[in-house]
Amino acid sequence: MIFAIEEINRSLQLLPNITLGFQIYDSCRMMQRSLEGTLWMLAGQKNPAPNFRCQKNLPLLGIIGDAGSSCSIVMARILGLFRLPQISYVSSSPLLSDRIQFPSFFRTIPNDNFQSQGLAYLLMHLGWTWVGLLIEDNDYGQQGASALKQELANAGACIAFSENIILSRKDRNAKHIIQVIKNSTANAIVIFSSDAGLTPLMDEMMRHNLTGRVWIASEGWSTSTVLSVDKYSQILAGAIGFATYSGEIPGFENHLNSVHPSSSTDNVFVRRFWEEAFGCKWPDEKNVTLLWDNTSKLCTGNEKLDSLHIDYNDVSQLRGQYNAYTAVYASAWTLHNLNTCKKELQSSISLLCADRLNLQPWQLIHYLKNVRFRKNGGGEVFFNQNGEVPAQYDIINFQQNAEGSLKHVIVGKYDSSAPEGQTLIFNASKVLWASGITQIPASVCTQSCLPGSRKAVKEGEPVCCYLCIPCPLGEISNQTDAADCFKCQWDRWPNAQQDKCIPKTTEYLSYEETLAIILSVICILCSLMPAAILVLFINHSNTPIVKANNRSLSYFLLMSLTLCFLCSFAFIGYPTREKCLIQQVAFGITFSQCISCILAKTIMVVIAFNATKPNSDLRRWVGPQISYMVTSVGTLIQILLCVSWLSVSPPFSQYNILSQPGMIILECNEGSPIAFWCMLGYLGLLSAISFIVAFLARKLPDSFNEAKFITFSMLAFLSVWISFIPAYLSTKGKYMVAMEIFAILTSSSALVFCIFIPKCYIILLRPEMNTREYLMARETGQSNKNKHS
């Protein structure tokens, strides 16, 4: 403080022609002395006189202090009544942010709520969600820990244990605390305490050799020289903590080294300090020095402080000192702004410039609230609505030096006023953890759930203690410790690890596949078979075997069978909208036409046989008209069903993502399942009627007995399609399409083989049977056999 005041008094820019004075009062960290000193300063004399100022020629315009929060609270309650500005440099209690109780209190250190926020931010940044908490049983510890608990709860972390450091007990409750730490799985332990309250606990930890833990220090002990000795290095090496922001004060080291007993005759502490610093005694100074010891050397005054390397002149990390320096400058800039006030710039009567010759302390509060200046380091100083500067902390790491003691290495910073994303700066590469490792140790209740799984809370356990459950089928999690799994987009599917979505496989019966190629070749070969038989029949159209079996109807049936084979191609390839409209309709109509022809042939066999009987009424029905009518009506009904289907709910192409996980099936949706099964049902009805009629006509004379072959063909046809229904419903994707093609080929081939192959055998290999005489002879033989029977 003295250095700052002398620097200001020498400045030509700040408060020119004005000299600042000061009084120093030592409260000895006692609340009663803080109260006593406050009353002395207000009165201007040692005998307090409330509401009176005895030294009117020396106006009191502000107080810097006190250090401890408890002492500052006592002072602030008195000074608030007089609206006298008070700026503390170390008091960090959140209670002092209450502007109603403490309207004139300001400070250059953040309150502990910011420290709690920063500690929680650091713990979460390091992934420590399972932490222990040791709390000094005073306002500092309890309030700081309470705020930290709330911040950790908001961030999703958990407190493994919370124990009090009981100051009223000599051992500080150390034995119980150590036992709790040993039984806990928490590796990171936050300690909200002062160094004085923590020393007995550290001694007990040394006796129990309690190592391997990561200690997180509050600013109350993070830079303590008492705990930095080599005695505690085995326990505290690797610890990290928050410390009040350190700054540089140019010229301060020279100022410290310039202190000398000869130039500070009014300060008795300088001579005692000199003795301790240099290990000497001043001669004949019984009132100042300790007892004379002949082994001690005499102080000469020629000793040089800059030759020593002690905490006194170590300015590498000025923390409380820097805050005090800032507090003095804040007061000086407040006075400067008031002194340079221009009346013509005032916009309100309440803000009129103060009378410099009759200045009142309460007038400074308005200027102190609005003061804004830059520090030597370039940072800006200002007070918020609670009279606090922006929260800035150094993050330090306890590292063991060559001598075995601990040094405090800055490894990061926390700045509450920094832009988002830059609030915490932490350089993990500079940190040396316990045992000298460089990898960040873990402190979790449960090891992190890997991508592909999610967290599930254990009943009765904190939220940080959870189970890791694999994601359900079709869902992924792509981050560690995911709370939930989520589904992929409709066209994507989880990979084997279920940590990312990959494109689904697209499936349809493509012409490039082996299965499609084989089916295509079979379709072509099978379609050539009825076409070849048709050519054969045309070439032998006048032979009895062709004429006796309704030549024109056979031609029509062979053409229909050729179309039945070829309609299979509508099911192969990419299922476009046009192909979806054609495939089932083409299948239904061609097969209906084919079965109608077979039904007509069977009916004509029955009519032809019965028309030969005497006086039969069926003679007038013998002729091609009946067969044409049956074929036309049978086919027309199916055409009407298909037209209705296409008009009401036509088939369409769709992406089926439900049938097979991880696969998109390109298929034709029937549109109306009822229409689809009506079409198949009608086809089944025609087949059943044909089978029944053929079965009843199977014992007609051999020369006309085509019904026997039709019976076998329809039996095979019905067997194929009855087997097809369950197989069709149980398969998906391209195999369902292949199943329908297979049914088409099999059933069509059955009709060709059962009906036409026997005729081809006679035409090509037994031409002697393909004569009118042979047929008449058989007919005569058959008639005699019937008469005999």
Side-chain angles (χ1 to χ4, degrees):
M1 188 193 75
I2 294 174
F3 171 76
I5 291 175
E6 291 178 351
E7 192 176 59
I8 292 167
N9 287 338
R10 292 194 301 268
S11 174
L12 299 179
Q13 288 77 34
L14 182 59
L15 293 176
N17 302 320
I18 294 178
T19 302
L20 298 179
F22 60 89
Q23 291 179 327
I24 296 179
Y25 180 85
D26 190 358
S27 65
C28 301
R29 297 189 177 183
M30 298 172 61
M31 288 187 287
Q32 59 269 30
R33 284 187 60 85
S34 295
L35 177 60
E36 181 183 52
T38 301
L39 295 176
W40 283 11
M41 290 183 179
L42 287 172
Q45 60 182 18
K46 290 187 176 182
N47 297 321
N51 296 323
F52 288 95
R53 175 71 182 170
C54 299
Q55 296 179 346
K56 292 187 176 181
N57 59 328
L58 297 173
L60 178 64
L61 299 180
I63 293 179
I64 307 295
D66 199 348
S69 295
S70 300
C71 295
S72 289
I73 289 173
V74 171
M75 294 175 58
R77 293 193 185 278
I78 301 298
L79 298 176
L81 298 175
F82 294 91
R83 296 296 191 271
L84 186 72
Q86 172 191 1
I87 307 177
S88 175
Y89 51 93
V90 181
S91 300
S92 57
S93 172
L95 293 176
L96 289 164
S97 297
D98 189 344
R99 303 308 285 170
I100 297 176
Q101 293 190 62
F102 312 109
S104 62
F105 179 81
F106 297 82
R107 52 182 161 191
T108 54
I109 184 175
N111 80 56
D112 288 330
N113 284 341
F114 288 106
Q115 181 183 194
S116 300
Q117 292 175 10
L119 284 171
Y121 210 104
L122 176 62
L123 292 173
M124 299 309 297
H125 176 78
L126 296 173
W128 294 341
T129 57
W130 185 241
V131 297
L133 193 56
L134 302 181
I135 311 166
E136 196 173 59
D137 64 342
N138 54 19
D139 287 345
Y140 171 73
Q142 297 296 330
Q143 291 171 7
S146 177
L148 178 60
K149 288 178 181 178
Q150 185 62 47
E151 294 292 337
L152 289 176
N154 293 339
C158 303
I159 302 297
F161 61 85
S162 179
E163 298 294 333
N164 285 333
I165 301 172
I166 303 176
L167 297 177
S168 59
R169 291 176 55 172
K170 185 177 181 180
D171 67 344
R172 303 295 195 267
N173 196 31
K175 292 182 179 179
H176 171 72
I177 290 174
I178 290 172
Q179 191 61 42
V180 170
I181 294 174
K182 286 182 176 180
N183 295 335
S184 175
T185 57
N187 193 34
I189 302 172
V190 182
I191 303 180
F192 256 99
S193 175
S194 62
D195 53 359
L198 196 56
T199 304
L201 179 60
M202 288 296 164
D203 291 336
E204 190 67 21
M205 289 182 183
M206 289 292 299
R207 285 190 286 272
H208 284 80
N209 193 28
L210 188 62
T211 59
R213 299 297 195 276
V214 180
W215 308 100
I216 299 95
S218 67
E219 55 85 23
W221 66 277
S222 61
T223 56
S224 169
T225 55
V226 176
L227 297 174
S228 299
V229 296
D230 55 359
K231 174 183 178 181
Y232 301 117
S233 61
Q234 186 178 0
I235 301 293
L236 294 178
I240 58 174
F242 267 38
T244 308
Y245 178 76
S246 62
E248 295 182 1
I249 304 178
F252 187 50
E253 184 177 10
N254 293 333
H255 173 78
L256 293 174
N257 291 330
S258 66
V259 171
H260 196 274
S262 62
S263 60
S264 306
T265 56
D266 56 340
N267 189 342
V268 295
F269 296 110
V270 172
R271 297 178 67 86
R272 295 184 59 180
F273 161 71
W274 202 269
E275 289 180 336
E276 290 197 20
F278 293 102
C280 60
K281 298 288 185 180
W282 292 105
D284 302 324
E285 294 288 342
K286 296 180 181 180
N287 294 331
V288 177
T289 63
L290 299 176
L291 294 176
W292 175 257
D293 186 351
N294 291 329
T295 61
S296 300
K297 63 179 181 180
L298 297 178
C299 299
T300 63
N302 295 324
E303 295 85 358
K304 300 294 184 182
L305 285 174
D306 55 8
S307 66
L308 300 177
H309 299 284
I310 56 178
D311 290 337
Y312 167 75
N313 57 7
D314 181 8
V315 296
S316 60
Q317 294 189 22
L318 300 175
R319 302 186 187 280
Q321 303 94 322
Y322 188 74
N323 292 343
Y325 179 79
T326 303
V328 173
Y329 263 88
S331 298
W333 277 106
T334 299
L335 289 171
H336 181 82
N337 294 340
L338 185 148
N339 190 50
T340 56
C341 175
K342 296 180 180 181
K343 292 184 178 181
E344 59 272 14
L345 298 179
Q346 300 302 304
S347 58
S348 172
I349 297 177
S350 62
L351 299 179
L352 290 177
C353 295
D355 185 359
R356 304 187 189 96
L357 301 178
N358 189 25
L359 186 61
Q360 299 299 317
W362 57 266
Q363 294 174 311
L364 288 172
I365 292 180
H366 165 73
Y367 290 93
L368 188 56
K369 288 180 180 178
N370 295 282
V371 72
R372 187 177 289 265
F373 63 95
R374 290 200 169 274
K375 298 180 286 189
N376 290 326
E380 193 173 39
V381 177
F382 60 92
F383 295 102
N384 62 18
Q385 66 273 16
N386 295 324
E388 300 164 344
V389 294
Q392 290 181 307
Y393 292 96
D394 288 335
I395 302 173
I396 61 170
N397 179 221
F398 290 52
Q399 298 182 7
Q400 196 170 8
N401 58 23
E403 292 77 25
S405 60
L406 295 171
K407 61 179 179 178
H408 302 132
V409 178
I410 298 176
V411 295
K413 293 187 182 297
Y414 176 79
D415 186 353
S416 65
S417 63
E420 186 176 355
Q422 302 178 23
T423 305
L424 179 71
I425 298 175
F426 186 77
N427 188 352
S429 62
K430 294 178 63 176
V431 179
L432 286 180
W433 303 102
S435 304
I437 62 174
T438 56
Q439 186 177 0
I440 299 175
S443 184
V444 293
C445 181
T446 304
Q447 291 298 321
S448 297
C449 294
L450 298 176
S453 61
R454 66 175 181 86
K455 296 192 297 184
V457 177
K458 291 182 180 179
E459 188 174 354
E461 297 285 342
V463 295
C464 300
C465 303
Y466 47 80
L467 299 171
C468 294
I469 299 178
C471 290
L473 184 66
E475 297 185 5
I476 70 160
S477 63
N478 55 6
Q479 59 184 10
T480 303
D481 286 335
D484 291 297
C485 301
F486 60 90
K487 292 183 180 296
C488 295
Q489 295 177 339
W490 71 271
D491 60 342
R492 292 179 174 271
W493 185 253
N495 61 350
Q497 293 76 29
Q498 289 186 275
D499 57 0
K500 65 179 180 179
C501 294
I502 58 177
K504 286 184 177 180
T505 303
T506 302
E507 180 184 89
Y508 64 93
L509 190 58
S510 170
Y511 279 108
E512 299 176 357
E513 296 187 30
T514 303
L515 178 60
I517 293 172
I518 294 173
L519 291 174
S520 298
V521 172
I522 294 174
C523 289
I524 294 172
L525 294 177
C526 288
S527 64
L528 293 175
M529 187 165 49
I533 294 173
L534 176 60
V535 172
L536 180 65
F537 272 40
I538 293 173
N539 291 333
H540 297 81
S541 60
N542 293 319
T543 60
I545 195 70
V546 176
K547 294 170 64 176
N549 291 289
N550 200 329
R551 179 172 51 190
S552 59
L553 205 55
S554 296
Y555 294 165
F556 199 61
L557 176 57
L558 287 168
M559 287 188 291
S560 298
L561 285 170
T562 303
L563 293 176
C564 287
F565 285 117
L566 294 177
C567 77
S568 300
F569 286 103
F571 295 86
I572 303 175
Y574 190 90
T576 61
R577 177 177 176 274
E578 294 76 14
K579 188 172 287 188
C580 290
L581 290 172
I582 293 172
Q583 59 181 213
Q584 297 294 354
V585 172
F587 158 71
I589 293 174
T590 55
F591 266 83
S592 295
Q593 182 177 343
C594 182
I595 302 302
S596 296
C597 290
I598 294 173
L599 179 59
K601 286 175 72 69
T602 308
I603 293 173
M604 289 306 298
V605 170
V606 174
I607 292 174
F609 176 77
N610 288 298
T612 60
K613 295 180 180 180
N615 302 319
S616 174
D617 294 333
L618 294 177
R619 288 179 180 273
R620 66 174 179 267
W621 297 105
V622 175
Q625 292 80 9
I626 292 297
S627 60
Y628 296 155
M629 182 182 69
V630 172
T631 303
S632 301
V633 171
T635 306
L636 182 61
I637 293 174
Q638 186 71 284
I639 292 174
L640 292 175
L641 285 174
C642 291
V643 170
S644 301
W645 180 11
L646 295 178
S647 301
V648 176
S649 181
F652 57 89
S653 177
Q654 72 168 12
Y655 293 103
N656 185 345
I657 62 175
L658 301 177
S659 296
Q660 294 187 15
M663 185 176 293
I664 299 176
I665 300 174
L666 274 69
E667 63 182 14
C668 291
N669 187 305
E670 288 83 6
S672 172
I674 296 175
F676 173 70
W677 289 108
C678 284
M679 181 267 292
L680 287 182
Y682 176 71
L683 193 58
L685 177 63
L686 281 179
S687 303
I689 294 173
S690 297
F691 172 72
I692 293 170
V693 174
F695 180 78
L696 295 175
R698 71 189 185 283
K699 292 185 178 180
L700 294 178
D702 286 346
S703 56
F704 296 98
N705 199 2
E706 193 177 22
K708 188 182 296 184
F709 300 110
I710 293 175
T711 301
F712 285 115
S713 68
M714 295 313 302
L715 183 62
F717 183 89
L718 287 171
S719 299
V720 169
W721 285 105
I722 290 173
S723 303
F724 161 75
I725 293 174
Y728 180 81
L729 295 175
S730 62
T731 55
K732 301 294 180 184
K734 63 182 179 181
Y735 298 105
M736 182 176 69
V737 177
M739 181 62 65
E740 187 166 359
I741 295 174
F742 178 76
I744 291 172
L745 297 176
T746 307
S747 60
S748 301
S749 299
L751 297 178
V752 172
F753 276 89
C754 291
I755 296 175
F756 293 103
I757 293 301
K759 298 177 177 61
C760 293
Y761 171 77
I762 292 173
I763 294 171
L764 295 175
L765 301 179
R766 300 293 299 272
E768 70 278 5
M769 298 175 60
N770 190 15
T771 62
R772 179 177 179 82
E773 291 77 14
Y774 179 81
L775 292 177
M776 293 302 293
R778 288 199 61 181
E779 180 180 355
T780 302
Q782 184 68 35
S783 298
N784 293 332
K785 183 179 179 182
N786 290 338
K787 288 177 182 180
H788 178 73
S789 62

